[in-house]
Amino acid sequence: MSDTPVAENRLFEPTADFASKAHVPSLEAYKELHARSLADPEKFWGEIASELTWLKPWDKVLDESEAPFYKWFTGGQTNITLNCIDRHIQAGNGDRVAIYWEGEPGDSKVLTYQDVHDEVCRFANTLKKLGLDKGDSIAIYLPMIPELAIATLACARIGAVHSVIFAGFSAESIKDRVLDASSKAVITADGTYRRGKELLLKNIVDEGVADCPCIEKVLVVQRHPEKEPFAHDWKEGRDFWYHEAAEGVDSVCEAEPMDAEDMLFLLYTSGSTGKPKGIMHTTGGYMVYTYLTSKLTFDLKPESDVYWCTADVGWITGHSYIVYGPMQNGVTQVMYEGAPNWPGEDRFWEIVEKYKVTIFYTAPTAIRAFMKWGDQHVTKHDLSSLRLLGTVGEPINPEAWMWYHKLIGSEKCPIVDTWWQTETGGHMLTPIPGAIATKPGSATVPFPGIDAAVLDEEGNECERGILAIRKPWPSMLRGIYGDPERYKSTYWCKWGGKYYFPGDGAIKDEHDYFWITGRVDDVVNVSGHRIGTAELESVFVEHPSVAESAVIGVPHEIKGQGLVAFVITRTGAEGDEDTWRKELTAMVDKKIGKFARPEKIVFSNDLPKTRSGKIMRRLLRDIAEDRPLGNVTTLADPSVVDSLKAKYKG
Ligand code: WT7
């Protein structure tokens, strides 16, 4: 959000108390670790991997023979759920709480690691009973209830590939993802709550899979087993209640041996074209990397910590830092179903107090909302259990960082600003608390094993440029499902295909700290959710009155970025602007989801274009941000800009 992040030069050292107990207790220790990891990555990652359970040891840690299709731990076999569950039980920690779950209406549940084991195995056996098997693709469209984590782990247990679809996505988004992944089943729930309102998820799934011949089964978890289900439709033979299908099913299920490079999951994310990409993650490397990043970034102490990540499992943050990373570390965590402001604006702080949360990980957009709602909601709760804070998903403005530091962290908790992506699988740039002093707004330094640099177009290091990752790392994406060419052209197009290109701009300051300046492609980050402008544009042009549109990202006080759409209607199109606006908004809800609604839709007769017909988005951004216009001489018709300006303000 901030234009000149490096004008920020406050430095916050970890307290001596925190550092003395931390896994990485000093800057020197971090430097040694980072240097060692880059000097001999195979040795480094081999040692970390040895801390985990494998069914068969690997032959080779890193296979670069088909770069950029890198492979990790080839020849090795494991099942990630052995490390998430069984290992802790074998170590005598089956009684430790794995999940404190809090429902939005105030219901709650406690699951120990032994409970998770039994539930995951029962779920896994139920999937098998329904005919699902290793290698099958299974979509999961569940709210933040324990069954979301359990279903995800159950798929992994039997070697099925899960494709979790965030439950805020629309029916059409479900359809696109289910078809692309050829999913054989969907796991959903009858419903959930959002700010007290019922959401009928099963019915959204029905609409989504109506034209998906690949779907054979729909497995439905009942949100309130003790009450009447939410209103729903039913298709006999296809639909099954989970509690009925699971009756009499065994609570022991042997974990399927998986090759290190067997696919663990697909997760769809937006890119700069209209079609979301299915990001592929595999078993071994993802397992090792999420284990280590969770342990070091959050300085996890499983015997005493209560960790809470407020993300949804529907995004990568929830995959890596609710399900797989924290559980591999055997930590106790909180999982919450609903909105941060329901029933009151202090709901999160009430939960922190109730469960004595020690580590809290959330998004800058949430922090900005808390700031706006007022300090009184925070100060009335006892947050003294907190010892570490984190942020994820978008750049954090120094003002929000300072508020988080003071109000939530009582000026004593380190803040880890973690930069990473769906594609990277785990944290890439982040302070390691206890070792790295923080600066408000900087994701600071690369995680061990990560060779990050700021480069210009030619690949030379520079101060302000594009972020590059110059070496493969274990949890990197293995490709885009069904589209190896797109994988190469999206991520390995720059710098002669030598380095990974994440699509973010960055600055490296005099302390070698990294500052992310935002995306350099046509991807907008709205409240930490990635939306491709092309995705919205392709929705709009389906409207019969729309000839063309251009969507841009603009700064937004709470969301970080918001979307603004410029829409050209067809000459002689029927209707008026208010009607079109309503119809277009409804189309976004239907085709993507409400979270992708634009802040503003501006109708006009023309767009600023070059003589060759290319829309000049830079000018649209200047108009939206009320900046003096840059060079307009390349415009085919310079007068367009003035009329657009007037339209935008009006
Ligand atoms: C994009 C990835 C990371 C998991 C959640 C989002 C932006 C992410 C930060 C941060 C500045 C950040 C980047 C990145 N981003 N974290 N700490 N500081 N920007 O995952 O949907 O794959 O989005 O989010 O632009 O490329 P995602």
Side-chain angles (χ1 to χ4, degrees):
M1 290 225 342
S2 162
D3 285 330
T4 51
V6 275
E8 174 62 62
N9 53 19
R10 283 170 286 195
L11 197 67
F12 294 84
E13 298 282 351
T15 64
D17 180 51
F18 191 101
S20 66
K21 298 173 194 146
H23 289 304
V24 185
S26 66
L27 179 60
E28 291 64 42
Y30 159 79
K31 283 188 172 160
E32 186 278 325
L33 200 60
H34 191 254
R36 184 154 55 85
S37 69
L38 292 194
D40 193 347
E42 296 204 51
K43 181 159 182 279
F44 178 81
W45 289 113
E47 283 170 12
I48 302 296
S50 305
E51 295 177 22
L52 298 170
T53 302
W54 292 78
L55 296 167
K56 182 171 168 276
W58 55 90
D59 303 321
K60 181 132 181 59
V61 172
L62 171 60
D63 175 356
E64 305 189 81
S65 61
E66 288 164 59
F69 296 91
Y70 295 93
K71 298 193 189 94
W72 288 83
F73 304 105
T74 45
Q77 283 195 332
T78 185
N79 184 296
I80 195 166
T81 68
L82 293 173
N83 287 302
C84 294
I85 309 168
D86 305 61
R87 206 158 63 96
H88 312 312
I89 296 170
Q90 281 150 20
N93 294 321
D95 292 342
R96 183 182 294 157
V97 172
I99 299 174
Y100 285 119
W101 175 76
E102 181 87 6
E104 195 189 73
D107 45 346
S108 61
K109 256 188 209 169
V110 182
L111 283 92
T112 63
Y113 273 92
Q114 183 66 51
D115 294 334
V116 170
H117 171 271
D118 298 353
E119 295 290 329
V120 167
C121 287
R122 229 191 311 275
F123 213 111
N125 284 327
T126 306
L127 295 176
K128 284 187 181 172
K129 187 172 147 189
L130 292 178
L132 296 155
D133 214 340
K134 183 172 182 173
D136 286 341
S137 145
I138 300 179
I140 299 179
Y141 188 76
L142 280 170
M144 281 288 284
I145 56 178
E147 286 82 354
L148 174 48
I150 286 161
T152 304
L153 290 163
C155 289
R157 190 81 173 177
I158 67 168
V161 174
H162 56 74
S163 164
V164 182
I165 304 169
F166 169 59
F169 273 115
S170 66
E172 292 219 15
S173 296
I174 297 175
K175 177 179 159 187
D176 293 344
R177 286 158 178 74
V178 160
L179 288 177
D180 190 81
S182 305
S183 298
K184 275 174 84 171
V186 188
I187 304 168
T188 186
D190 52 346
T192 182
Y193 302 92
R194 194 71 190 173
R195 280 182 207 98
K197 224 181 90 198
E198 290 188 0
L199 294 183
L200 305 179
L201 299 183
K202 166 68 166 67
N203 288 351
I204 300 174
V205 166
D206 283 344
E207 195 189 328
V209 303
D211 297 314
C212 297
C214 50
I215 290 292
E216 295 169 11
K217 303 275 161 36
V218 175
L219 188 56
V220 189
V221 174
Q222 196 181 338
R223 169 65 181 80
H224 292 289
E226 68 292 355
K227 290 192 204 163
E228 279 295 296
F230 288 58
H232 63 278
D233 294 327
W234 204 254
K235 196 167 159 187
E236 278 311 323
R238 185 198 67 177
D239 299 351
F240 298 83
W241 283 111
Y242 173 68
H243 60 272
E244 289 177 9
E247 244 171 69
V249 159
D250 200 15
S251 60
V252 176
C253 173
E254 193 98 358
E256 189 67 34
M258 302 297 287
D259 286 341
E261 284 297 342
D262 276 343
M263 207 181 342
L264 176 63
F265 66 85
L266 278 175
L267 184 59
Y268 284 82
T269 190
S270 297
S272 47
T273 72
K275 193 174 170 284
K277 356 176 222 200
I279 302 299
M280 294 198 280
H281 281 287
T282 58
T283 303
Y286 179 81
M287 178 176 91
V288 172
Y289 199 77
T290 53
Y291 159 71
L292 188 71
T293 47
S294 298
K295 180 174 169 179
L296 300 191
T297 304
F298 301 123
D299 189 44
L300 288 183
K301 307 283 164 55
E303 311 76 34
S304 51
D305 273 323
V306 179
Y307 164 90
W308 183 19
C309 165
T310 70
D312 194 292
V313 173
W315 309 106
I316 191 68
T317 306
H319 283 60
S320 300
Y321 299 113
I322 294 177
V323 179
Y324 290 116
M327 294 199 70
Q328 284 192 81
N329 282 277
V331 76
T332 297
Q333 67 178 312
V334 170
M335 184 176 180
Y336 170 57
E337 178 185 31
N341 53 351
W342 189 267
E345 272 107 4
D346 64 336
R347 185 64 188 271
F348 274 17
W349 317 121
E350 182 190 284
I351 294 175
V352 168
E353 181 172 2
K354 176 172 174 187
Y355 295 104
K356 301 202 168 42
V357 171
T358 60
I359 303 170
F360 180 75
Y361 189 37
T362 197
T365 183
I367 296 168
R368 290 189 292 265
F370 299 137
M371 285 171 75
K372 193 174 140 207
W373 293 337
D375 297 359
Q376 70 278 12
H377 301 296
V378 179
T379 51
K380 73 177 192 218
H381 291 285
D382 175 8
L383 307 184
S384 59
S385 54
L386 290 170
R387 69 178 193 92
L388 176 63
L389 304 175
T391 68
V392 55
E394 44 170 332
I396 182 163
N397 45 314
E399 193 195 350
W401 196 101
M402 287 307 298
W403 183 89
Y404 199 33
H405 172 69
K406 286 192 178 134
L407 264 283
I408 309 302
S410 304
E411 303 188 31
K412 70 170 208 296
C413 302
I415 298 177
V416 290
D417 174 350
T418 59
W419 177 89
W420 58 296
Q421 309 179 296
T422 304
E423 293 87 339
T424 70
H427 302 149
M428 302 294 280
L429 300 174
T430 178
I432 307 280
I436 304 294
T438 53
K439 298 185 191 183
S442 169
T444 72
V445 297
F447 193 80
I450 302 306
D451 179 10
V454 177
L455 303 181
D456 63 17
E457 292 285 339
E458 282 71 49
N460 307 306
E461 289 204 47
C462 61
E463 223 173 81
R464 183 186 271 266
I466 308 161
L467 185 63
I469 309 297
R470 296 186 294 193
K471 278 199 169 61
W473 66 101
S475 65
M476 62 196 302
L477 77 163
R478 298 303 195 264
I480 295 172
Y481 188 62
D483 203 345
E485 280 312 310
R486 191 173 175 198
Y487 167 67
K488 284 201 252 177
S489 64
T490 308
Y491 304 107
W492 304 92
C493 54
K494 271 197 198 302
W495 310 304
K498 276 198 312 217
Y499 306 145
Y500 173 78
F501 166 64
D504 280 40
I507 295 171
K508 201 170 171 186
D509 73 12
E510 72 276 16
H511 295 113
D512 286 341
Y513 274 36
F514 289 80
W515 301 77
I516 302 297
T517 53
R519 301 286 308 190
V520 295
D521 54 8
D522 292 320
V523 170
V524 181
N525 194 323
V526 180
S527 302
H529 299 161
R530 234 160 103 172
I531 298 162
T533 53
E535 250 175 285
L536 242 80
E537 289 161 7
S538 61
V539 169
F540 292 150
V541 294
E542 283 182 38
H543 190 287
S545 303
V546 173
E548 195 176 8
S549 83
V551 174
I552 56 163
V554 296
H556 186 283
E557 203 194 327
I558 303 289
K559 299 177 182 177
Q561 281 190 294
L563 296 155
V564 170
F566 293 87
V567 173
I568 304 184
T569 48
R570 292 184 190 283
T571 20
E574 303 241 337
D576 57 71
E577 292 191 2
D578 278 345
T579 318
W580 290 328
R581 195 168 281 120
K582 281 197 193 104
E583 288 169 356
L584 291 174
T585 307
M587 285 172 75
V588 173
D589 291 358
K590 185 162 177 293
K591 292 190 180 282
I592 305 177
K594 286 201 172 78
F595 66 88
R597 278 188 187 181
E599 304 302 316
K600 200 168 176 147
I601 302 179
V602 182
F603 294 94
S604 98
N605 307 321
D606 210 349
L607 288 170
K609 287 184 182 166
T610 61
R611 285 183 200 93
S612 60
K614 198 170 172 301
I615 299 172
M616 292 183 72
R617 286 159 195 283
R618 175 179 57 80
L619 284 180
L620 293 176
R621 281 191 283 265
D622 288 343
I623 291 169
E625 291 174 50
D626 205 14
R627 275 194 300 250
L629 297 184
N631 189 347
V632 292
T633 51
T634 51
L635 277 183
D637 174 8
S639 73
V640 170
V641 179
D642 290 328
S643 77
L644 264 184
K645 255 187 154 169
K647 271 274 185 185
Y648 188 86
K649 287 193 174 145

